[in-house]
Amino acid sequence: MTSTEIKDLSQDQLKEQIAQERERLLRLKFAHAISPIENPLRIRASRKEIARLLTELSAKTIQQ
């Protein structure tokens, strides 16, 4: 997701996206532990996406 797409999301949508990304990260970590995944940089990208979503959620919470 781009930063403009993230900023357009509501707080509830952000929370849903965070939950989805966390589950995706968990699945990636399990898959990588069992057998090395093809592109391990996806784990890093997933962590960064979660951080972006949490940052935007925090900013929206402070604004209210």
Side-chain angles (χ1 to χ4, degrees):
M1 295 183 90
T2 63
S3 60
T4 55
E5 290 174 340
I6 291 173
K7 289 181 182 188
D8 290 339
L9 296 175
S10 69
Q11 285 187 353
D12 292 333
Q13 290 171 327
L14 282 169
K15 289 177 185 177
E16 289 175 20
Q17 284 294 117
I18 291 168
Q20 288 175 359
E21 277 297 318
R22 283 186 171 157
E23 187 168 328
R24 179 176 172 226
L25 177 61
L26 186 64
R27 281 188 270 119
L28 281 171
K29 283 183 178 181
F30 280 138
H32 188 62
I34 294 170
S35 65
I37 57 176
E38 186 176 313
N39 187 1
L41 294 179
R42 290 191 306 175
I43 294 172
R44 185 186 308 171
S46 186
R47 284 197 319 255
K48 286 185 177 187
E49 185 70 23
I50 292 169
R52 283 187 199 103
L53 291 166
L54 286 171
T55 301
E56 187 59 34
L57 180 62
S58 174
K60 287 186 184 242
T61 305
I62 291 171
Q63 282 181 343
Q64 289 184 342

